[in-house]
Amino acid sequence: MGIHFVLLISRQGKVRLTKWYSAMPSKERARAVREVSAVVLSRQQKQCNFLEYKDKKIIYKRYASLYFLACVDEEDNELIVLETIHHFVEVLDRYFGNVCELDLIFNFHKAYHILDELLIAGELQEPSKKAILRVTAAQDALMEGSGDSKVSDSKYEI
Amino acid sequence: MSGGHLSKDFFELIKSIGECKSKQEEDKILAAEVATLRQRFTEQLSPKKMKEAVVRMMYAEMLGHNADFGHIHAVNMSQQTNLIAKRVGYLASTVCLHSGFSLPYLPHISPISPLKSTSHVEVCATLVAIPKLVNLETLPALMDPVCALLDHPSEVVRKKAVMALHRFCQLQPSSAADLSEKLRRVLCDKDPAVMGASLYILHEGAEADPKAHKDLVPSYVSILKQITEHRLPSSFDYHRTPAPWIQIKLLKLMATLGTADQRASEGMYEVLLDVLRRADTGINIGYAIIYEAVRTITAIFPNIQLLETAASHISRFVSSDNHNLKYLGIKALAGVVQVNQKYALEHQLVVVDCLEDPDETLKRKTLDLLYRMTNAGNVVFVVDKLISHLRETSDDAFRASLTERITQLAERYAPDNSWFIRTMNGVRLRARRRARAAGRGPQLDAADCRGVRRGRRGGHGAPPLRRNDLLLDARPADPPRHPRLRHLLGARGVRLPHWRRSGARAGDV
């Protein structure tokens, strides 16, 4: 039941974010990440966004230079997981304002917090974007209020 | 947020990882970082520096490098009273640890007092971390405090408490029975998000014990009705579709409770038609709901009108150009042919096309459909197709399932003895050739062993003559780990280890 892990990788296969919802020893995790990345990166544009992996399924979607992957059970509804991924991306977009890969690279901890608001124990807990953004903004305000100055969000010179 | 302030040093680290051209370079940089962190943690650090060190450790772990010397610091941070430190500590703990492996740290984690705190944020941070870190030993202590939070004034806290309880029920299914009374109350919570959260546990409870939950069917039907009539606040709309995740959860619940139960199913027919009609919006989320509704219709007690409507939607999916929809159409078709084979007949051409499609996922699902459509008339054709795919594929798990299915079909529908023997020998020959080609001994691949053995168990009785041929039953199974591991290495073009080439011949087939 539910999502087993969420993975974000770049077009070159670099890992940008991993979130695990089931217990797996780290060797197995590393192996799963490698295998799944290899298969997903070799898929073509026109093919399905779903593929079978061992006894589970991988649902993936490519957004610009980033692949978002979620691993679910056999009997889960694939389209709704695709929409969950899309929902996550939309919330990120609202939060960062026109989110791009760089935003996620430098603010991976914030992406984690948002993902935590969206999914708990692998299930979607919050369908409303506004609620997520409201809670996240409140937490940000709390952090700022305690004296930590926010990182300069001006676009990073690379 | 945690780490709202990134030091220049950390910024440079991330930048260099982002710019490096190869995995080796990345690994080198991270290995250096881990070594620095190891040194850093032995020093006396100010809270701010400690926070940064913990975040950096989390970064290294995320990218796959082990930094377990730092885990204890993350755990310690989560016990501090400072809220920011706590959040960082929890976040890092959930990234680095998980319930199966956090045993040594158990005495340090005591989430109970933060749960009673007056600060919402603190309670929430703790509730988010609990599903990750809890295990059978810590569960009993946490059950009562979390249950108490079900009555918390803030809906965010209530919702997270429900999700934490869900995790508890997954770990210890027996606790679901005790919680059912409380969960029924949560179902009537005035905040729809909290109500939605309770559906997950209620679904698992319904799967375990459908009878106890049958009385909730009218409530689910009425909630679904309210949702489709747009009576929830508009913040629950996703692309103008009202609360799609909750709709789908309710549909799944109804499928579980309505199976083989005519009375329960009859209460659902009207709302199912309604859902199908309203979800037909032409966007992905609408299709997701339609697909789930179709699955529910095929699962519950059959109703002709509903099945016809479902079949027409399936036709649209299967004939669509969108690969995703085609895939779902095939999947749904596989479900509906179990009710009545006629629905598949009009799509035969499309099905044959999908078999030849370059998309592997689509091919596999079509094979699945064929397997379910098999009868005495088309068994030869279907088994031929399955064998040809067995020949081409190199995926172990897939081979095992194909072998199992071929065996089952062959046993169930074999037109005559000689065909059966030819087929089974063909399967074993293929397995043997494949094992030889991969550099192994002539013994059968463990995956194929499993497949044939499973198929035999599932099939109906076979005449005694054939049983003697299948020496597979007599042989002990190969330890599954080694062949599988080696095969994966082989598939990626790495040289296979030599020891297996001269390998023990555990009996001739």
Side-chain angles (χ1 to χ4, degrees), chain B residues 54-179:
Chain B
V54 167
V55 175
R56 290 172 87 138
M57 176 200 72
M58 187 174 84
Y59 187 63
E61 282 261 344
M62 179 180 90
L63 290 176
H65 285 251
N66 194 320
D68 47 16
F69 50 84
H71 293 177
I72 185 69
H73 295 277
V75 171
N76 281 339
M77 266 193 92
S78 68
Q79 301 306 300
Q80 289 181 23
T81 44
N82 177 318
L83 196 54
I84 302 158
K86 211 190 234 333
R87 291 206 83 218
V88 175
Y90 272 138
L91 182 63
S93 307
T94 52
V95 170
C96 308
L97 307 171
H98 47 89
S99 53
F101 294 82
S102 58
L103 233 32
Y105 303 111
L106 270 180
H108 301 271
I109 303 178
S110 61
I112 301 187
S113 49
L115 285 180
K116 303 203 171 90
S117 142
T118 45
S119 150
H120 291 190
V121 185
E122 195 176 335
V123 179
C124 284
T126 320
L127 281 173
V128 169
I130 283 179
K132 240 354 220 345
L133 301 171
V134 74
N135 58 23
L136 283 172
E137 295 186 14
T138 42
L139 205 155
L142 287 172
M143 183 69 86
D144 283 330
V146 174
C147 283
L149 287 172
L150 286 176
D151 297 316
H152 198 278
S154 156
E155 70 277 357
V156 183
V157 172
R158 287 204 301 273
K159 186 180 58 172
K160 289 189 162 60
V162 174
M163 301 304 281
L165 284 176
H166 179 212
R167 187 82 184 107
F168 292 173
C169 291
Q170 279 179 339
L171 277 180
Q172 195 181 68
S174 54
S175 45
D178 310 319
L179 290 172

Side-chain angles (χ1 to χ4, degrees), chain A residues 25 44 98:
Chain A
Q44 284 149 14
N98 290 329

Side-chain angles (χ1 to χ4, degrees), chain A residues 14 29 49 126 140 143, chain B residues 1 20 98 159 324 331:
Chain A
K14 289 205 186 152
R29 290 186 180 190
N49 290 100
E126 187 51 74
D140 274 346
M143 296 295 166
Chain B
M1 281 263 194
C20 64
H98 47 89
K159 186 180 58 172
N324 289 344
K331 235 180 130 185

Side-chain angles (χ1 to χ4, degrees), chain A residues 14 20 29 48-50 57 75 77-78 90 109 123-124 126 136 140 142-143 146 148 151, chain B residues 1-2 4 20 51 62-63 83-84 98 132 159-160 200 238-239 245 292 295 324 331 359 361:
Chain A
K14 289 205 186 152
W20 299 82
R29 290 186 180 190
C48 286
N49 290 100
F50 328 119
K57 281 201 285 241
E75 58 295 333
N77 183 329
E78 293 90 339
E90 283 189 350
H109 47 289
E123 297 276 2
L124 186 97
E126 187 51 74
T136 323
D140 274 346
L142 196 69
M143 296 295 166
S146 66
D148 261 355
V151 71
Chain B
M1 281 263 194
S2 72
C20 64
K51 187 176 63 163
M62 179 180 90
L63 290 176
L83 196 54
I84 302 158
H98 47 89
K132 240 354 220 345
K159 186 180 58 172
K160 289 189 162 60
Y200 294 112
Y238 177 80
H239 293 233
W245 282 274
E292 196 60 49
R295 277 222 288 206
N324 289 344
K331 235 180 130 185
D359 187 341
T361 319

Side-chain angles (χ1 to χ4, degrees), chain A residues 2 7-8 12 35 39 47 58 73 112 116 118 135-136 141 146:
Chain A
L7 184 61
L8 266 67
Q12 289 80 30
E35 290 173 9
V39 186
Q47 293 177 334
I58 304 284
D73 285 322
Y112 265 122
D116 274 337
L118 192 70
V135 175
T136 323
S146 66

